[in-house]
Amino acid sequence: MSASEQLEILEEPPFILENGVKYINPTEVKMSQFILPCHANHCGELSVGQLLKWMDTTACLSAERHAHCPCVTASMDDIDFDFEQRLSVGHVVNIKAKVNRAFNTSLEVGISITSEDPCSGRQWKVCNAFATFVAKGQGSGKVQLKAVIPRTSQEKIEYSIAAERRRMRLHHLESIKDLVSSSTIQKEPDFDESQHVVPAEKTRVETVELVLPPHANHQRNSFGGQIMAWMESAATISASRFCKGHPVLKTIDMFHFRGPSQVGDRITLKAIVNNAFKESFEVGVCAEAYHQEGWDQKTHINSAFMTFVVPDKGGKLCTFPRVKPEPGDGKRRYREASARKKIRLDRKYIISCKQTEVPLSVPWDPSNQVYLSYNNVSALKILAAKQNWVLNCMQNKAKLSTLEEDHLLFFKAEMIVSVNVKQVFVLLSDMSRRHEWDTHYQRFKLIQKVDTDDVIYHVVSPSVNKASNFQDFVLLASRRVPCADGDPYLIALRSVSLPAVPPTKDLDRGEVSCAGFTLCQEGVTSTKIAYYIQTTPQVLPYITRDITGLSSDLCKIIEALNKFLEQNKDTVHMCDIG
Ligand code: COA
Ligand code: ADP
């Protein structure tokens, strides 16, 4: 086997506890399954529905290990599959799940899936996923879950970012719906009769399943994995009707379980191709439950959108004819599918990339705001969780540290101020006042107040090299209050680009990929402020001059910041926190 064939699966180094014992996360559940013909489709490849069932079962057991009571699937985040890595009969699928964080009644489980060919020893990564479960105790009362205590550095990062993923799930389910529906302003699709088009109705699937005891837990609630598997199956039939070939699932948008279903319910599944793009197409599927008590009463259980591709034998993607939507809902779904395609691309580009691979100054627009805001905050959380900082010097009671990693230089300044953390948060997150203490912020203009937590602004700074132009930056500032006690307050900054603020000749456009403040309460009246920045060529000279003692700029800024916070703390109204 060549080295390139053996895809490395990186395991975290073992974490050894104080008593010398290797730490194993108490919620970790592992499942390994041989892919047998009964799990595969007619091409001998693992059906994604079966994989979803195994993922849901493993994750649910992990959730219940933490909750100590039955849990139901509330959602499964978007999943991207690597369709080039096939999972065939004879391969082994390894699923690992652990609880990242518990909130009130819900908890997030991280799931990682790898596969192996036991004959060759080859192993490869399939995908990662995040599922949310809600604890269901006896009776109708809510279950307050105990907190997760992360131990390893990776667990601490997942714990911290889980709060951000939850925010994205909850706040943006509705806003994504708004974005999709607002895209219907576009022109009606028009079809030239000479073009080859496939009428959408030819791809329609309507099917029914009866929920039997093997599909449900001991409380008779159907397993989320089973519902997802039925939905995937209906969608795949619709996809096959459209492509007249063997469709391969590439992406699943978030599954959200709106309501439960029980043993004895009939689940109807309806699927249709909503739109086809050049080399992929979207199938929508809707699951409804007809309950035993009244056959005419149905509950909407779930709706999902799946993107399929059809690779030929050489792996090249086939191209598709256009879809002719049905009048009414069909036309609306056709346009909404285009909007979802854009949102999916933004998501993949901004979220799934490694932080260092996300390009600087991503063009901002309302449809990628949710992902940029997530990226902004999670990048700062990851930076704040980094270890092995090297203390360079102390200036004005502030500790200045640096960290070199992957050819990047990160900088951290930490100080304690005698001001309450909420007051510091309000004062520092008001970017229009930063010029009062930071000489780098010479001119400030608010470009857009995106929502209560995010603003985009333009700032002009003097250049470190007096001979050159002034610099300007277009920054997205995202602020967060703690999700739970012990979390820091946070203000994250990153560059974005906006057509309304193009670079100009008289200013050098600078970029910030990741910067911001974390604020931790230290007693009632003191706050530990940490400022982080990942250096870019434009900010590097400022930082290296200060940490090598060639400049006292930073010292003056720290002094000014202290004074600014002291003088203004009593002007802060707690309602400003929002
Ligand atoms: N994704 C993730 N979590 C979600 C969510 C979503 N789309 N919608 C709600 N939640 C979380 C909330 O954040 C809350 O968590 P918290 O207590 O930790 O803050 C928890 O669910 C309960 O929210 P609440 O608003 O009180 O309840 P709800 O009325 O919205 O009900 C479910 C949420 C998931 C319990 C409910 O929709 C349900 O029973 N769905 C079916 C679950 C099921 O049976 N699944 C198996 C297959 S059908
Ligand atoms: P929306 O219509 O906003 O997309 P729904 O929850 O009604 O949301 O449906 C989700 C998807 O399920 C639709 O986009 C469509 O692809 C599919 N679907 C819904 N109803 C039907 C139906 N009667 N026949 C076939 N497919 C359907």
Side-chain angles (χ1 to χ4, degrees):
M1 187 189 348
S2 72
S4 59
E5 260 186 300
Q6 174 76 47
L7 295 180
E8 200 186 351
I9 296 175
L10 291 175
E11 286 278 343
E12 247 194 292
F15 181 76
I16 309 297
L17 295 169
E18 300 79 41
N19 58 7
V21 175
K22 186 179 152 197
Y23 166 73
I24 295 174
N25 185 311
T27 67
E28 184 175 292
V29 175
K30 287 179 177 175
M31 178 189 274
S32 289
Q33 295 278 356
F34 243 122
I35 305 176
L36 302 175
C38 61
H39 304 131
N41 60 24
H42 56 285
C43 299
E45 284 159 16
L46 175 66
S47 92
V48 174
Q50 179 60 61
L51 179 63
L52 291 168
K53 275 203 265 185
W54 286 335
M55 285 161 66
D56 182 64
T57 309
T58 317
C60 186
L61 291 176
S62 171
E64 290 178 352
R65 239 185 217 181
H66 181 81
H68 297 300
C69 67
C71 292
V72 292
T73 321
S75 66
M76 176 81 82
D77 291 2
D78 317 87
I79 308 175
D80 289 308
F81 294 100
D82 177 359
F83 59 88
E84 284 165 17
Q85 297 283 343
R86 301 296 172 85
L87 306 180
S88 307
V89 170
H91 289 161
V92 172
V93 175
N94 299 305
I95 303 173
K96 200 155 84 175
K98 64 180 170 57
V99 176
N100 288 331
R101 183 160 183 162
F103 303 101
N104 303 307
T105 63
S106 69
L107 44 77
E108 180 193 277
V109 182
I111 312 163
S112 71
I113 300 119
T114 59
S115 188
E116 66 184 272
D117 178 351
C119 298
S120 66
R122 188 170 78 99
Q123 295 195 7
W124 63 97
K125 193 170 165 241
V126 177
C127 62
N128 287 330
F130 298 98
T132 305
F133 288 83
V134 173
K136 292 275 168 190
Q138 301 296 333
S140 55
K142 297 219 170 202
V143 175
Q144 177 64 48
L145 292 165
K146 66 174 191 285
V148 165
I149 300 167
R151 301 295 296 263
T152 70
S153 54
Q154 193 54 36
E155 283 176 13
K156 285 178 186 159
I157 291 176
E158 289 299 349
Y159 176 91
S160 172
I161 300 180
E164 202 50 28
R165 281 190 291 260
R166 173 177 186 259
R167 182 182 189 276
M168 192 160 61
R169 261 170 228 133
L170 299 180
H171 286 221
H172 297 288
L173 213 64
E174 284 309 308
S175 62
I176 287 186
K177 216 163 133 194
D178 289 348
L179 278 171
V180 166
S181 51
S182 64
S183 71
T184 52
I185 318 153
Q186 292 166 11
K187 186 166 142 305
E188 293 274 301
D190 66 41
F191 290 93
D192 170 356
E193 292 306 316
S194 63
Q195 277 183 317
H196 175 42
V197 290
V198 176
E201 61 262 28
K202 289 204 168 173
T203 70
R204 180 192 300 281
V205 175
E206 288 196 23
T207 179
V208 65
E209 299 282 354
L210 173 63
V211 182
L212 296 171
H215 305 135
N217 62 18
H218 56 281
Q219 292 191 319
R220 299 171 62 83
N221 278 322
S222 42
F223 288 119
Q226 182 60 67
I227 305 279
M228 291 189 280
W230 284 333
M231 292 173 79
E232 188 269 339
S233 166
T236 305
I237 298 172
S238 172
S240 312
R241 286 185 181 159
F242 175 69
C243 69
K244 299 199 168 59
H246 172 46
V248 177
L249 190 53
K250 188 168 167 267
T251 311
I252 308 182
D253 292 3
M254 186 190 284
F255 282 102
H256 168 208
F257 290 92
R258 293 156 190 263
S261 63
Q262 297 222 315
V263 170
D265 289 351
R266 261 105 178 133
I267 307 286
T268 62
L269 300 136
K270 295 176 191 159
I272 198 164
V273 173
N274 286 335
N275 200 343
F277 312 103
K278 204 85 191 131
E279 294 181 335
S280 67
F281 57 97
E282 182 198 272
V283 182
V285 52
C286 173
E288 290 166 329
Y290 287 82
H291 304 291
Q292 279 171 316
E293 310 84 60
W295 290 114
D296 50 344
Q297 280 177 19
K298 61 177 181 182
T299 316
H300 185 189
I301 297 289
N302 209 320
S303 286
F305 301 96
M306 305 187 191
T307 310
F308 289 86
V309 291
V310 180
D312 67 14
K313 287 211 171 70
K316 195 168 169 301
L317 296 183
C318 300
T319 54
F320 302 110
R322 293 179 70 192
V323 169
K324 184 164 187 184
E326 293 177 304
D329 276 347
K331 285 193 175 174
R332 173 182 57 81
R333 288 171 184 152
Y334 179 94
R335 292 190 214 93
E336 292 180 355
S338 300
R340 277 189 294 268
K341 183 174 155 75
K342 170 169 184 343
I343 292 170
R344 249 171 240 135
L345 282 172
D346 285 339
R347 184 193 78 217
K348 188 163 179 192
Y349 192 48
I350 298 168
I351 291 196
S352 317
C353 282
K354 277 194 197 156
Q355 180 54 30
T356 47
E357 290 166 3
V358 177
L360 295 170
S361 296
V362 176
W364 180 91
D365 77 40
S367 70
N368 67 19
Q369 158 59 24
V370 41
Y371 305 119
L372 276 173
S373 180
Y374 166 87
N375 171 278
N376 198 12
V377 173
S378 57
L380 179 63
K381 286 185 169 187
I382 292 171
L383 180 51
K386 284 191 192 294
Q387 289 165 356
N388 307 327
W389 289 91
V390 177
L391 178 64
N392 281 84
C393 59
M394 298 276 291
Q395 275 195 20
N396 224 355
K397 292 195 195 147
K399 287 200 266 179
L400 310 188
S401 311
T402 50
L403 174 72
E404 288 175 65
E405 204 179 83
D406 293 337
H407 310 290
L408 295 171
L409 178 68
F410 303 94
F411 169 77
K412 171 165 78 165
E414 292 167 289
M415 71 204 89
I416 306 235
V417 292
S418 306
V419 181
N420 174 282
V421 67
K422 291 184 182 171
Q423 293 168 326
V424 177
F425 179 65
V426 172
L427 291 167
L428 286 190
S429 56
D430 184 355
M431 293 299 154
S432 66
R433 298 194 67 181
R434 186 152 164 182
H435 69 277
E436 292 181 40
W437 55 272
D438 186 350
T439 45
H440 295 134
Y441 273 49
Q442 284 215 339
R443 263 186 283 150
F444 165 92
K445 189 171 171 209
L446 179 70
I447 306 293
Q448 188 152 350
K449 186 163 174 20
V450 182
D451 54 38
T452 48
D453 293 329
D454 296 81
V455 292
I456 300 175
Y457 63 96
H458 181 229
V459 62
V460 176
S461 305
S463 173
V464 69
N465 175 358
K466 298 280 181 289
S468 68
N469 277 349
F470 272 52
Q471 298 191 91
D472 70 337
F473 298 84
V474 180
L475 296 169
L476 168 68
S478 310
R479 66 174 200 168
R480 297 287 186 271
V481 295
C483 171
D485 288 351
D487 285 353
Y489 285 79
L490 209 133
I491 303 154
L493 305 167
R494 65 156 294 150
S495 281
V496 290
S497 68
L498 271 185
V501 201
T504 53
K505 276 201 198 116
D506 54 331
L507 294 170
D508 291 335
R509 178 57 56 91
E511 292 184 315
V512 171
S513 56
C514 171
F517 300 89
T518 62
L519 314 173
C520 298
Q521 182 165 342
E522 296 257 313
V524 184
T525 53
S526 297
T527 302
K528 181 172 178 185
I529 304 179
Y531 172 72
Y532 297 88
I533 187 160
Q534 175 184 328
T535 61
T536 52
Q538 293 89 0
V539 293
L540 188 67
Y542 295 103
I543 288 163
T544 45
R545 279 187 338 153
D546 276 294
I547 54 179
T548 49
L550 294 174
S551 152
S552 57
D553 270 6
L554 203 59
C555 186
K556 287 184 200 140
I557 292 174
I558 291 165
E559 207 175 302
L561 170 60
N562 248 317
K563 211 162 140 195
F564 167 75
L565 294 173
E566 276 291 342
Q567 283 176 349
N568 294 286
K569 63 183 179 188
D570 296 326
T571 63
V572 171
H573 302 292
M574 289 309 167
C575 59
D576 294 341
I577 296 177

